[in-house]
Amino acid sequence: MGVAHPCTTNLALSATYGHHLPMTPNLHIQLWSYNYAPEPTGIAPVSTAWACAMRDRGHSIEVIAAHPHYPEAAWGRSFRPYRENRDGIDVLRLPLWFGRSSPLARIRQELSFAAIQTAALPAVRRPDVMVVVSPSFPALIPAMIRAKMSQVPWVLWLQDILPDGAATTGLLSEGRAVSAARRLERRAYSRAASIVVISESFERNLLAKDVRADKLHRVYNPATLKANAASPPQAGPRSLRLVVIGNIGQSQGIDELVRMFEEIDDPDA
């Protein structure tokens, strides 16, 4: 099955995202997103859809992204940065040390990307505003450095809450690394001009960490694919059925749903 293109398959995306920025022409927006097209799943389609929606509103968009690497870490093994143009959007691709086979390899991958981003700062143009997607969590450091150097506002777009997610999934254990990550988290929340969260639970999490409520903007992630026609309802009694799509169920509390199903008095559930 082919991968649908988020710039063309869902016209509602422009309306979903468009009203959050004014119709100011020639605003140079820099999107810092670890993941971007052509990656077919995860954060990439959402970041790509947002960039296309802003382009359609007349803004100039520049994307700072990693080499395509998700969900297959073997994509694009080049060790050199390069620029490309995707649908009228300039994209700077930066290399990283691929690895997802172990927690150490994943940490190394993210740290390598943050290091390359830092080294590339002199080649990055000054924007009017930056939108920084997290994850990648370590990549917040060069983004904050760039915002301070350029004296421009930046928006933090939280697709995951780290280090909470890293601790939940066992990627990091409580200790110095988690303590350092929590300090970075607090600094990012403090320095960002605005913070976009994708759920009510994210909003509650940040409010519990004393983030100012006026900084928070809840914007749900839209679908990036058109839904197929719904199946007609079946006649007669049906067993309870739950479908979960994704690969990070541990950090999303899916284990609680599994326990709930185990307690249901229905052998077909």
Side-chain angles (χ1 to χ4, degrees):
M1 182 177 68
V3 176
H5 198 296
C7 273
T8 58
T9 59
N10 195 333
L11 297 179
L13 287 169
S14 183
T16 300
Y17 287 132
H19 67 279
H20 297 287
L21 283 180
M23 285 293 289
T24 306
N26 302 321
L27 189 64
H28 178 42
I29 305 173
Q30 210 166 66
L31 174 64
W32 292 56
S33 181
Y34 189 46
N35 305 97
Y36 197 74
E39 293 179 2
T41 187
I43 294 171
V46 179
S47 290
T48 305
W50 184 88
C52 293
M54 295 303 103
R55 176 207 60 193
D56 292 345
R57 291 177 64 84
H59 299 299
S60 170
I61 308 296
E62 180 184 15
V63 178
I64 314 298
H67 284 188
H69 64 280
Y70 185 81
E72 295 294 334
W75 284 22
R77 291 187 177 276
S78 171
F79 291 99
R80 301 179 63 180
Y82 63 91
R83 289 187 180 272
E84 64 178 354
N85 187 286
R86 284 188 170 271
D87 304 291
I89 297 172
D90 291 328
V91 183
L92 174 61
R93 292 282 190 182
L94 300 175
L96 72 168
W97 189 345
F98 299 114
R100 294 180 60 84
S101 59
S102 67
L104 181 60
R106 294 182 64 181
I107 293 171
R108 182 192 66 202
Q109 173 176 294
E110 298 222 3
L111 290 176
S112 70
F113 181 62
I116 293 295
Q117 275 189 313
T118 304
L121 288 179
V124 176
R125 293 183 294 165
R126 182 186 186 277
D128 296 313
V129 62
M130 295 167 53
V131 176
V132 182
V133 183
S134 180
S136 167
F137 187 65
L140 290 176
I141 297 174
M144 287 192 291
I145 292 173
R146 181 58 181 167
K148 186 173 183 178
M149 289 172 52
S150 302
Q151 293 297 297
V152 298
W154 67 285
V155 177
L156 175 59
W157 186 3
L158 282 179
Q159 293 288 344
D160 199 356
I161 295 182
L162 299 171
D164 294 16
T168 300
T169 58
L171 184 62
L172 292 177
S173 301
E174 291 292 341
R176 292 182 179 179
V178 171
S179 296
R182 295 199 188 280
R183 288 194 296 270
L184 173 58
E185 178 189 30
R186 290 193 295 270
R187 179 163 296 188
Y189 295 159
S190 174
R191 292 191 176 183
S194 296
I195 303 172
V196 174
V197 295
I198 62 172
S199 69
E200 293 181 12
S201 61
F202 278 26
E203 190 172 12
R204 291 193 299 268
N205 184 292
L206 268 63
L207 289 173
K209 295 173 180 175
D210 297 323
V211 178
R212 295 198 332 257
D214 62 330
K215 268 193 175 186
L216 302 179
H217 306 272
R218 189 187 337 129
V219 183
Y220 297 114
N221 282 344
T224 55
L225 297 175
K226 288 184 178 180
N228 295 326
S231 301
Q234 297 180 5
R238 294 182 60 191
S239 297
L240 185 61
R241 179 182 300 173
L242 174 69
V243 177
V244 178
I245 301 174
N247 61 356
I248 52 174
Q250 184 177 359
S251 66
Q252 295 172 332
I254 302 301
D255 52 338
E256 295 298 327
L257 292 175
V258 174
R259 291 194 193 97
M260 180 193 72
F261 264 72
E262 290 175 343
E263 296 172 359
I264 293 176
D265 187 17
D266 182 353
D268 296 322

